[in-house]
Amino acid sequence: MSTIYNFNAGPAILPASVLERAQHELRDYQRCGMSILEMSHRSPEYEAINAEAAERLKRLLGVGNEYHVLFLQGGASLQFAMLPLNFLPPGASADYLITGAWAEKAYEEALRVGQAREAASTAANGYRSVPSQADIALDPHAAYVHITSNETIQGIQWHTWPDVGDRPLVADMSSDILSRPLETQRFALIYAGAQKNLGPAGVTVVVIRDSFLQSASSNLPTMLRYATHVKNRSLYNTPPVFAVYMVNLVLGWIEEQGGLAAIAERNQRKAATLYQVIDTSGGFYRGHAERDHRSLMNVTFRLPDEALEKRFVTEASARGMVGLAGHRSVGGIRASIYNAMDQEGCDALAEFMIDFMRRNG
């Protein structure tokens, strides 16, 4: 099998060792005589996987029993609605910090449920940065404050968390969860679709502080209540068994790499490799995000014209580098370099970028 460097934004690259282990265990999981895909979610084998994944995630995040870990379905898009349904009571309001396409979607969905405020937005500068603290106007009585920690489409990332006082801070971390050490205690709730840094598509991780959970509405359909899933340890209905199994393997892989501090160092080095080429290209490559707000997960940039961008994507693909076309809404180039992308892949892309510029600049 030839080497392919997978720069897709999601579903995204997974660690090779994780895929190999899943392949090895696929037909016969731990000598049970059947595949994990066939097992009951009530079996002791799956319940052990579910519990181990939750404990591994808590360990990596540095939290204990004051937080609950849930494995849900519906993607982050369901969380856009499930969050306000649980925590935005009638007469209250929630604050949203709008930093890109995904933050917009979360805000728009909250407006369908109740009162939501745009407490800050960087739309005016084309979503090239996150708002400064001075530009954030918070409601002193906000039910919660919502941020999107990393915007995959625009390639911007929060590197310093906003000060929200004693208001509950909530984050969509779908595209950068476990990519760096996290002050988890600052957050009342974190949610993340798994298909970028945690595993395959099909499961969404929610990490929720118990004290925040106590304020959730109980007047909701059973499946839309976080309390239902906490009480049943994510086993109220049939969970996405194989996806959770894969998340557990990826969490184990992160621990083997040295945890979040080691992963962060690796990610910073990878991103620096690509941003260095952009910054020294004399304007041939133009990064979208302002330097202080650049994503370490999604490197977004433009070339002098769209024809060159199409040629760039075509030639890169021919060299085994796939998934580099920017999101259809903005165009350009996007290299997604999540945890499982290794330095070798970033070096290969950087070398191609330099060669392409030499031939077309």
Side-chain angles (χ1 to χ4, degrees), residues 158-169:
W158 289 88
H159 295 296
T160 302
W161 305 119
D163 182 359
V164 300
D166 59 0
R167 305 164 187 83
L169 181 59

Side-chain angles (χ1 to χ4, degrees), residues 296-308:
L296 300 181
M297 299 284 97
N298 310 97
V299 179
T300 55
F301 56 96
R302 302 302 300 255
L303 276 70
D305 58 59
E306 290 186 9
L308 274 177

Side-chain angles (χ1 to χ4, degrees), residues 309-349:
E309 290 171 349
K310 290 179 180 178
R311 187 185 307 167
F312 181 97
V313 171
T314 299
E315 290 189 15
S317 181
R319 297 193 187 191
M321 289 171 276
V322 301
L324 286 166
H327 190 271
R328 60 187 178 277
S329 65
V330 298
I333 308 297
R334 171 175 57 179
S336 297
I337 52 173
Y338 301 120
N339 285 351
M341 173 59 67
D342 58 22
Q343 184 64 42
E344 179 184 325
C346 291
D347 290 342
L349 178 55

Side-chain angles (χ1 to χ4, degrees), residues 13 47 60 64 74 79 117 132 152 160 171 202 249 294 306 316 334:
I13 186 172
E47 291 204 21
L60 285 164
Q79 295 305 307
R117 293 178 63 253
S132 67
T152 59
T160 302
L249 295 186
R294 287 170 163 170
E306 290 186 9
R334 171 175 57 179

Side-chain angles (χ1 to χ4, degrees), residues 77-90:
S77 295
L78 178 58
Q79 295 305 307
F80 295 163
M82 195 167 168
L83 171 70
L85 283 169
N86 277 264
F87 296 109
L88 185 51

Side-chain angles (χ1 to χ4, degrees), residues 7 54-55 93 124 138 180 183 188 206 228 303 306 334 359:
F7 293 99
E55 287 306 311
S93 178
L138 295 175
R180 52 185 170 167
E183 300 169 275
V206 176
T228 297
L303 276 70
E306 290 186 9
R334 171 175 57 179
R359 291 184 286 108

Side-chain angles (χ1 to χ4, degrees), residues 43-318:
S43 68
E45 291 83 6
Y46 177 71
E47 291 204 21
I49 291 170
N50 188 82
E52 184 176 48
E55 287 306 311
R56 275 179 163 163
L57 185 55
K58 284 184 181 182
R59 191 159 60 239
L60 285 164
L61 292 174
V63 298
N65 291 333
E66 72 276 20
Y67 282 85
H68 306 283
V69 171
L70 304 177
F71 300 112
L72 306 180
Q73 299 173 64
S77 295
L78 178 58
Q79 295 305 307
F80 295 163
M82 195 167 168
L83 171 70
L85 283 169
N86 277 264
F87 296 109
L88 185 51
S93 178
D95 282 352
Y96 281 71
L97 309 187
I98 314 300
T99 52
W102 293 109
E104 283 181 355
K105 289 180 182 294
Y107 173 60
E108 290 165 2
E109 200 71 1
L111 288 172
R112 296 175 182 272
V113 174
Q115 297 182 53
R117 293 178 63 253
E118 185 181 286
S121 173
T122 53
N125 75 358
Y127 295 130
R128 298 178 184 276
S129 65
V130 301
S132 67
Q133 188 67 41
D135 291 332
I136 300 173
L138 295 175
D139 177 352
H141 305 295
Y144 60 84
V145 180
H146 181 282
I147 67 171
T148 304
S149 59
N150 183 79
E151 289 281 357
T152 59
I153 294 175
Q154 286 80 17
I156 65 99
Q157 187 176 28
W158 289 88
H159 295 296
T160 302
W161 305 119
D163 182 359
V164 300
D166 59 0
R167 305 164 187 83
L169 181 59
V170 173
D172 174 2
M173 293 191 178
S174 293
S175 52
D176 67 348
I177 191 169
L178 301 188
S179 66
R180 52 185 170 167
L182 179 65
E183 300 169 275
T184 313
Q185 289 79 4
R186 295 189 62 171
F187 295 88
L189 186 149
I190 295 165
Y191 62 92
Q195 66 272 13
K196 302 178 189 296
N197 261 342
L198 289 179
V203 61
T204 300
V205 170
V206 176
V207 181
I208 183 170
R209 186 191 295 142
D210 186 66
S211 59
F212 189 48
L213 177 67
Q214 302 310 313
S215 67
S217 171
S218 59
N219 188 29
L220 290 172
T222 303
M223 280 291 291
L224 294 177
R225 295 179 59 208
Y226 289 115
T228 297
H229 302 288
V230 168
K231 180 180 179 180
N232 292 277
R233 297 174 292 111
S234 303
L235 298 170
Y236 176 77
N237 69 321
T238 305
V241 170
F242 187 73
V244 176
Y245 159 77
M246 290 293 289
V247 166
N248 189 39
L249 295 186
V250 172
L251 294 174
W253 175 84
I254 292 173
E255 289 183 323
E256 290 168 4
Q257 304 310 301
L260 299 191
I263 286 287
E265 183 180 349
R266 165 189 168 114
N267 287 333
Q268 289 162 1
R269 187 166 57 251
K270 291 185 308 186
T273 299
L274 300 182
Y275 286 124
Q276 173 71 12
V277 177
I278 293 170
D279 292 341
T280 58
S281 70
F284 183 81
Y285 297 115
R286 306 183 313 278
H288 177 79
E290 295 178 3
R291 292 195 182 196
D292 289 344
H293 306 274
R294 287 170 163 170
S295 171
L296 300 181
M297 299 284 97
N298 310 97
V299 179
T300 55
F301 56 96
R302 302 302 300 255
L303 276 70
D305 58 59
E306 290 186 9
L308 274 177
E309 290 171 349
K310 290 179 180 178
R311 187 185 307 167
F312 181 97
V313 171
T314 299
E315 290 189 15
S317 181

